[in-house]
């Protein structure tokens, strides 16, 4: 059923998890002779029927360009687009919707900050800190910035268990530290970092904090004002929305001081051959025609997650993590990497003597979809002394049968290789 803004929101807070699972059409198929067990949610999650319907309704009845037409369709598209921004604001509790910038994804969000803030405010001899568990998108932009500006990139270390050594910040932070970039939840290990504590330490040193929230927003309540985050980035496709859309939250005072990221239509106030002036935020950072359809889909995904309840989702995924962890403990020759006390529903693991790519390939023949590789986090693999891992990541629509299928398929892996 389509959930347009004219219809009352559906309350899914009392639905059973099997009723909710039934609302994800992609899950109801076989891979070969086996029912699909989709356990690659940290890479990309699936879309519920309501979000798919919302995309169809927009494309067939509302599509036009936004913020530039005087006709009915343009107004409908603009209303849908702006409504999605307000949904994002509410979802992360930003103070105002203008602080929520639409991008193509978290990678672009982080690059936006590195370009528009970093190239204006970072200079020779300055320092930027990244954590040891970042994925490449929260390392490389800062590395490039440091190389260009003659600044220094420093690393907040982590333990063998995959826990950040937050106390090390006391020695890393100094008067030259301009920014600390850190993930809220590790994509490779599932570790939930103490972001509020990290931000507080950084702010006592007058250091800004850029939080990569890709693995947090779909799985737990995020309140950017309570965290006091300066910048917070996330992607739509990891939270039941479409690909091609992401969000950068930034405090108004910071965004207003930054230069534009991309230049073109919609980000200007006036243009002449002598000088151009820029539109106020958020439009200053949204040059050109945005991904309108994807933005509307992201709004529908937020509606869906909120209709279940983020706290309920977090509890469900924790239950799945505990069940899976207990099942893994019964397997000989299988080791979990990343054993922090506070984890999201991610299990990164290795099977003794078997390359993760072989594990992933064999599991696929059993209908089990996982991720195998370095998870775009090669420094994490280096720190743990492995070339790669296999990774199962769960969402609220998974069930114990999915986990049982994973465990059964791992037995097949061991039979083949041992």
């Amino acid at each position: 059923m389509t959930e347009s803004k004219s219809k009352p929101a559906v309350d899914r807070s009392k639905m059973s998890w099997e009723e909710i699972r039934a609302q994800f059409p992609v899950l109801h198929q076989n891979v070969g002779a086996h029912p699909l067990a989709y356990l690659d949610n940290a890479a990309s999650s699936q879309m519920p029927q309501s979000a798919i319907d919302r995309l169809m309704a927009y494309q067939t009845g509302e599509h036009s360009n936004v913020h530039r037409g005087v006709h009915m369709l343009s107004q409908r598209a603009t209303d849908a687009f702006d409504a999605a921004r307000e949904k994002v604001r509410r979802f992360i509790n930003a103070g105002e919707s203008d602080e929520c910038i639409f991008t193509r994804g978290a990678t672009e969000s982080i690059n936006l900050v590195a370009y528009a803030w970093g190239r204006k405010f970072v200079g020779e001899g300055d320092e930027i800190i990244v954590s040891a568990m970042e994925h490449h998108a929260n390392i490389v932009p800062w590395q490039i910035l440091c190389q260009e500006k003659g600044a220094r990139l420093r690393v907040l270390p982590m333990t063998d268990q995959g826990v950040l050594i937050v106390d090390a910040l006391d020695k890393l932070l100094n008067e030259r530290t301009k920014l600390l970039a850190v993930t809220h939840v590790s994509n490779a290990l599932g570790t939930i970092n103490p972001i509020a504590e990290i931000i507080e330490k950084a702010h006592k040193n007058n250091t800004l904090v850029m939080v990569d929230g890709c693995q947090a927003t779909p799985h737990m309540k995020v309140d950017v004002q309570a965290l006091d985050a300066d910048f917070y980035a996330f992607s739509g496709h990891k939270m039941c929305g479409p690909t091609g859309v992401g969000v950068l939250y930034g405090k108004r005072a910071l965004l207003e001081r930054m230069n534009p990221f991309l230049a073109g239509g919609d980000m200007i106030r006036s243009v002449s051959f002598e000088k151009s002036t820029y539109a106020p935020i958020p439009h200053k950072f949204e040059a050109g025609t945005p991904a309108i359809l994807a933005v509307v889909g992201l709004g529908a995904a937020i509606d869906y997650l909120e209709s279940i309840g983020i706290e309920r989702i977090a509890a469900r995924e924790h239950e799945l993590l505990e069940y899976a962890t207990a099942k893994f403990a019964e397997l000989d020759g299988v080791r979990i990497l990343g054993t922090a006390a506070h984890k999201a529903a991610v299990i990164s693991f290795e099977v003794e003597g078997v390359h993760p790519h072989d594990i992933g390939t064999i599991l696929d023949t059993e209908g089990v979809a996982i991720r195998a590789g370095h998870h775009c986090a090669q420094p994490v693999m280096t720190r743990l002394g492995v070339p790669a891992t296999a990774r199962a990541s769960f969402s609220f629509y998974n069930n114990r049968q999915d986990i049982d299928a994973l465990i059964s398929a791992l037995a097949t892996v061991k039979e083949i290789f041992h």
Side-chain angles (χ1 to χ4, degrees):
M1 180 179 71
T2 299
E3 286 185 339
S4 71
K5 61 185 179 181
S6 61
K7 295 181 178 179
V10 176
D11 180 6
R12 299 182 178 86
S13 62
K14 300 293 194 297
M15 284 185 178
S16 72
W17 290 114
E18 287 308 309
E19 288 175 317
I20 288 172
R21 181 184 175 90
Q23 296 173 338
F24 289 79
V26 75
L27 299 178
H28 307 294
Q29 61 179 300
N30 284 357
V31 175
H34 303 275
L36 171 64
Y38 184 78
L39 301 176
D40 194 19
N41 296 285
S44 198
S45 59
Q46 300 297 344
M47 291 182 68
Q49 187 64 53
S50 62
I52 297 169
D53 289 346
R54 185 65 187 93
L55 294 175
M56 182 65 75
Y58 170 81
Q59 200 64 38
T60 55
E62 303 166 45
H63 176 61
S64 184
N65 216 314
V66 295
H67 301 143
R68 61 188 69 181
V70 296
H71 52 81
M72 178 192 68
L73 279 185
S74 180
Q75 190 56 54
R76 286 180 182 173
T78 300
D79 288 347
F81 187 85
D82 291 346
R85 197 189 306 276
E86 172 58 21
K87 291 175 184 179
V88 169
R89 183 210 64 77
R90 185 185 66 231
F91 189 65
I92 61 173
N93 194 35
E96 49 186 306
S97 61
D98 288 352
E99 295 176 315
C100 302
I101 313 296
F102 286 124
T103 64
R104 290 185 299 162
T107 296
E108 184 171 288
S109 297
I110 296 169
N111 274 271
L112 191 163
V113 177
Y115 186 94
W117 174 85
R119 280 159 181 78
K120 186 174 184 179
F121 294 106
V122 174
E124 185 174 357
D126 287 338
E127 296 182 356
I128 290 174
I129 298 173
V130 298
S131 91
M133 67 174 62
E134 300 310 307
H135 70 134
H136 300 162
N138 209 20
I139 298 174
V140 180
W142 309 115
Q143 210 165 36
I144 292 172
L145 176 66
C146 287
Q147 289 167 354
E148 289 180 1
K149 294 292 186 175
R152 181 185 182 192
L153 188 72
R154 307 189 72 185
V155 180
L156 176 65
M158 71 175 182
T159 67
D160 292 342
Q161 291 72 40
V163 177
L164 288 182
I165 305 173
V166 177
D167 288 346
L169 283 174
D170 296 335
K171 291 185 177 179
L172 285 171
L173 290 164
N174 61 62
E175 69 278 4
R176 302 309 307 262
T177 312
K178 290 297 184 72
L179 183 133
L180 190 161
V182 61
T183 185
H184 198 156
V185 177
S186 166
N187 73 312
L189 305 174
T191 307
I192 301 174
N193 289 319
I195 290 299
E197 179 186 356
I198 290 171
I199 291 174
E200 184 177 10
K201 277 182 176 288
H203 283 177
K204 285 180 179 177
N205 192 64
N206 296 317
T207 297
L208 299 181
V209 180
M210 164 86 231
V211 182
D212 173 1
C214 278
Q215 303 296 337
T217 48
H219 308 295
M220 63 187 68
K221 178 60 183 173
V222 172
D223 185 331
V224 294
Q225 292 190 85
L227 291 173
D228 200 19
D230 299 297
F231 300 105
Y232 197 100
F234 57 97
S235 292
H237 70 97
K238 296 181 190 294
M239 47 188 289
C240 300
T243 56
V245 62
V247 174
L248 171 67
Y249 159 81
K251 291 178 178 174
R252 170 178 280 278
L254 294 170
L255 295 173
E256 288 183 335
R257 293 174 63 201
M258 290 159 54
N259 290 330
F261 176 42
L262 300 173
D266 230 26
M267 52 74 69
I268 53 87
R269 187 192 302 273
S270 67
V271 174
S272 71
F273 286 114
E274 289 72 34
K275 183 182 179 180
S276 298
T277 58
Y278 309 127
I281 63 168
H283 306 296
K284 183 171 75 172
F285 297 107
E286 296 179 354
T289 297
I292 307 166
L293 179 67
V295 166
V296 172
L298 173 60
I302 288 173
D303 286 342
Y304 188 83
L305 295 175
E306 289 185 330
S307 73
I308 298 172
I310 297 299
E311 290 79 7
R312 188 180 177 215
I313 286 172
R316 167 66 171 178
E317 293 176 351
H318 183 70
E319 174 193 325
L320 293 172
L321 175 66
E322 287 196 327
Y323 180 75
T325 303
K327 288 290 185 182
F328 268 76
E330 298 172 0
L331 299 173
D332 294 329
V334 178
R335 181 170 75 104
I336 294 177
L337 294 94
T339 54
H342 301 290
K343 282 185 62 175
V346 173
I347 293 182
S348 216
F349 63 96
E350 61 178 3
V351 178
E352 186 178 0
V354 187
H355 193 280
H357 284 176
D358 291 329
I359 298 172
T361 301
I362 294 171
L363 262 56
D364 182 57
T365 66
E366 304 269 330
V368 180
I370 64 161
R371 175 83 181 264
H374 53 60
H375 316 300
C376 298
Q378 286 181 306
V380 174
M381 302 296 114
T382 300
R383 171 64 182 82
L384 298 178
V386 297
T389 72
R391 183 188 70 187
S393 51
F394 312 106
S395 183
F396 55 88
Y397 48 67
N398 289 123
N399 56 26
R400 291 191 175 197
Q401 287 75 24
D402 291 334
I403 295 169
D404 291 341
L406 168 65
I407 298 300
S408 174
L410 286 174
T412 302
V413 171
K414 294 177 67 177
E415 286 175 10
I416 292 173
F417 282 89
H418 296 134

